[in-house]
Amino acid sequence: MIQLYGLRLSNYYSLIKALLIEKGVDFEEVKAPPTQEEDNLARSPMGKMPSIGADGGYMSESLAIAAYLDRIAPEPALLPADPFAAGKVVELVCHLKLDVELVARRCLPEAFFGQTVSDETKSTTRADLARGMRAVQRLMVCNPYAAGDTLTLADFYTFYTFGLSSGVVQTIFDEDLLAGHDNIKTLLAHLAEHPSIARVEAEKAG
Ligand SMILES: N[C@@H](CCC(=O)N[C@@H](CS)C(=O)NCC(=O)O)C(=O)O
């Protein structure tokens, strides 16, 4: 049994929970807010969420956890068998994480936590997000899934990247991050009905 540490409101926690469900791995949720306390740092060296307890140890970082889950529960595979296609899925995941989600996150303190972010940060966030969106749009297939005709890890990152990033952009800039990206909008609507993701989202309310 794997322990999943964190809080349901976290997009990365939700992503890992959806992967655990998708792969049919037994897990239990352990409420653990992000802190710099030693018990949390032992699980997650940056004190972030999520982390997991498995195989007598702890692991943080969603991409590392996803790689681990793909080894212990190979079916359904979330990376294509073809090595180049698998690399392309991870490439898309990296751009979603680093060039969209992490960029939008700079304005998270003002968007959701009542703090203030400088005008300079807002301006660089907007420019960097535009560049990140151009990058992911180049790589996304969206026919019907993010990386092609099968569901992959990139779909889970797509859903949980845009959930947070679109909310930030709407709140801070009063803009639709996905304007002009109808293919991504269609994919997000499709993914919202995917059973593992739908269950995670339904349980957030509980
Ligand atoms: N790179 C990490 C990011 C995890 C992350 O940013 N978690 C957020 C919640 S969604 C967090 O714990 N924030 C608290 C903090 O930064 O101290 C991953 O992929 O798992």
Side-chain angles (χ1 to χ4, degrees):
M1 163 87 78
I2 286 182
Q3 286 76 43
L4 173 60
Y5 296 92
L7 298 174
R8 287 179 173 181
L9 58 79
S10 152
N11 58 335
Y12 283 117
Y13 176 96
S14 299
L15 185 154
I16 295 302
K17 183 175 170 184
L19 293 183
L20 286 161
I21 296 167
E22 187 72 26
K23 286 185 166 290
V25 173
D26 267 354
F27 71 98
E28 60 183 349
E29 296 180 80
V30 184
K31 264 191 193 169
T35 70
Q36 294 296 305
E37 299 297 322
E38 186 48 40
D39 64 332
N40 195 44
L41 293 174
R43 293 189 292 264
S44 165
M46 287 294 285
K48 296 188 180 187
M49 58 188 173
S51 58
I52 60 165
D55 207 16
Y58 296 117
M59 193 183 297
S60 62
E61 284 298 321
S62 58
L63 198 46
I65 298 169
Y68 170 70
L69 295 180
D70 228 27
R71 292 288 183 94
I72 62 162
E75 296 298 329
L78 292 178
L79 288 178
D82 175 73
F84 190 78
K88 292 298 288 182
V89 169
V90 177
E91 178 191 26
L92 175 53
V93 165
C94 289
H95 288 296
L96 286 163
K97 255 176 91 66
L98 302 176
D99 299 318
V100 178
E101 207 268 2
L102 203 52
V103 174
R105 201 170 265 279
R106 294 177 201 156
C107 291
L108 198 66
E110 180 165 322
F112 297 147
F113 298 112
Q115 295 166 31
T116 302
V117 163
S118 72
D119 287 344
E120 190 189 343
T121 297
K122 286 182 193 165
S123 152
T124 55
T125 297
R126 187 187 224 152
D128 292 346
L129 266 180
R131 186 175 170 197
M133 287 303 294
R134 285 195 297 274
V136 299
Q137 185 65 80
R138 250 176 205 280
L139 294 177
M140 286 189 91
V141 177
C142 295
N143 186 24
Y145 293 107
D149 58 6
T150 53
L151 182 83
T152 67
L153 190 56
D155 292 289
F156 291 86
Y157 274 94
T158 296
F159 190 82
Y160 287 106
T161 287
F162 287 113
L164 178 132
S165 311
S166 300
V168 168
V169 168
Q170 192 64 55
T171 308
I172 299 292
F173 302 116
D174 196 20
E175 283 171 14
D176 178 4
L177 178 65
L178 293 171
H181 300 279
D182 287 352
N183 56 342
I184 302 179
K185 283 187 181 179
T186 304
L187 173 61
L188 290 173
H190 183 193
L191 292 174
E193 291 180 1
H194 186 74
S196 60
I197 290 176
R199 177 177 146 192
V200 171
E201 295 309 297
E203 288 181 1
K204 271 186 186 169

